[in-house]
């Protein structure tokens, strides 16, 4: 982890409440896709933890869902604004452990870290399948970005307005019967449903939690696991299937 200034370079609105923000700055502390940053917002007591969608040597890309005044300030900041940021937080996904037929499964804003993972896997010569879940067609984002990497993308919407009507688990059952390993990020009910897919022999699940420090000091984000209590921010946010206790 390092504390550094990340400078907003550009912002692009993707849906009514999701934005893509590009920052320039020091990304040396990032080691894996699926890590996150904790951004200080002027006038706000607590930093905001946000998953990193991808990073290069020059900067990072965040996908941000509007969730109150803090994130509204962030997405409306003018280009050139510098934010005090803790970078390289969390363990991230291990792309070396992936089974025979991995699938990337994301729900809503949980899609963000899977994009960086997909880029990483493509760089390793793999083209993973991706299953993305949304409430409706109006909420869909980043399908083209995953497809541009060469990934085959399956979409589920709860109201059936785009793709499969239902949930990402329906996509996996119907179209990806060979998938035996999942990289997953999304709301907890979705994680639990994916964990219940009988075809999966293993997987890595990225959890969300309310956070304060973001680097393991306050113990405020602790969850039970098969190996005892673990901090989502420091020991996670990614936990292996066999570690998870629902
Ligand atoms: Fe402080 Fe996780 S947020 S220990």
């Amino acid at each position: 982890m390092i504390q550094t200034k990340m400078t907003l370079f550009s912002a692009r609105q993707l849906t009514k409440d999701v934005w893509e923000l590009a920052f320039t700055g020091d990304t040396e502390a990032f080691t894996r896709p699926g890590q996150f940053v904790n951004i200080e917002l002027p006038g706000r007591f607590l930093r905001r933890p946000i998953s990193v969608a991808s990073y290069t040597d020059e900067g990072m890309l965040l996908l941000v869902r509007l969730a109150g005044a803090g994130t509204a300030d962030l997405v409306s900041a003018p280009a050139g604004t510098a934010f005090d940021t803790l970078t390289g937080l969390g363990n991230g996904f291990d792309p070396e452990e992936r089974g025979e037929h991995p699938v990337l499964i994301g729900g809503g804003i949980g899609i963000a870290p899977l994009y960086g993972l997909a880029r990483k896997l493509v760089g390793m010569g793999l083209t993973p399948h991706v299953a993305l879940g949304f409430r409706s067609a109006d909420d869909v984002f980043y399908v083209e970005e995953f497809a541009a990497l060469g990934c085959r993308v399956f979409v589920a919407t709860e109201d059936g307005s785009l793709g499969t009507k239902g949930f990402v688990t329906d996509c996996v059952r119907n179209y990806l019967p060979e998938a035996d390993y999942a990289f997953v990020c999304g709301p907890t009910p979705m994680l639990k449903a994916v964990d219940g897919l009988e075809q999966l022999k293993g997987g890595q699940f990225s959890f969300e939690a309310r956070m304060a420090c973001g680097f393991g000091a306050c113990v405020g984000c602790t969850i039970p696991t098969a190996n005892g209590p673990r901090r989502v921010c420091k020991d996670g946010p990614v936990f292996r299937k066999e570690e998870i206790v629902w």
Side-chain angles (χ1 to χ4, degrees):
M1 175 193 84
I2 62 168
Q3 183 172 6
T4 186
K5 294 278 186 194
M6 300 301 288
T7 302
L8 185 63
F9 176 72
S10 64
R12 179 167 71 111
Q13 187 167 9
L14 303 178
T15 71
K16 65 181 186 308
D17 61 357
V18 175
W19 293 69
E20 176 197 75
L21 304 180
F23 291 83
T24 56
D26 185 349
T27 57
E28 198 183 343
F30 293 116
T31 55
R32 278 181 177 178
Q35 292 181 298
F36 67 97
V37 294
N38 217 1
I39 295 189
E40 184 178 81
L41 297 171
R44 310 279 166 195
F45 177 62
L46 289 177
R47 291 172 181 266
R48 293 293 189 284
I50 300 174
S51 291
V52 174
S54 70
Y55 62 90
T56 65
D57 289 345
E58 285 79 39
M60 66 177 184
L61 203 60
L62 304 182
L63 301 181
V64 178
R65 183 169 57 86
L66 287 179
T71 43
D73 287 350
L74 181 61
V75 304
S76 61
T81 305
F83 293 91
D84 189 282
T85 308
L86 304 177
T87 66
L89 298 171
N91 57 356
F93 292 108
D94 180 358
E96 300 292 344
E97 190 180 319
R98 55 178 183 264
E100 287 281 311
H101 299 286
V103 57
L104 278 48
I105 304 176
I109 199 63
I111 287 163
L114 299 179
Y115 179 66
L117 176 63
R119 284 180 50 145
K120 178 75 178 177
L121 291 170
V122 168
M124 295 164 72
L126 301 159
T127 46
H129 291 160
V130 180
L132 306 177
F134 304 91
R135 282 206 193 89
S136 76
D138 289 343
D139 301 308
V140 172
F141 61 94
Y142 255 50
V143 172
E144 294 83 5
E145 282 78 357
F146 279 100
L149 295 176
C151 301
R152 194 162 169 215
V153 186
F154 300 85
V155 172
T157 52
E158 291 175 30
D159 65 1
S161 51
L162 190 74
T164 298
K165 185 177 193 304
F167 301 101
V168 276
T169 41
D170 297 313
C171 280
V172 176
R173 274 196 208 94
N174 293 341
Y175 303 115
L176 297 165
E178 76 286 1
D180 61 357
Y181 194 96
F183 295 94
V184 198
C185 186
T188 303
M190 193 205 86
L191 300 184
K192 194 171 178 183
V194 172
D195 186 44
L197 285 169
E198 288 183 4
Q199 67 193 78
L200 296 181
K201 297 188 181 72
Q204 297 177 44
F205 292 66
S206 183
F207 281 74
E208 289 183 347
R210 292 190 75 82
M211 290 184 191
C213 71
F215 52 84
C218 74
V219 202
C221 63
T222 302
I223 61 168
T225 75
N227 301 318
R230 290 288 184 271
R231 297 156 298 180
V232 172
C233 71
K234 178 82 173 176
D235 307 309
V238 177
F239 294 90
R240 284 176 170 70
K241 184 170 165 46
E242 57 274 19
E243 293 178 89
I244 298 168
V245 174
W246 295 109

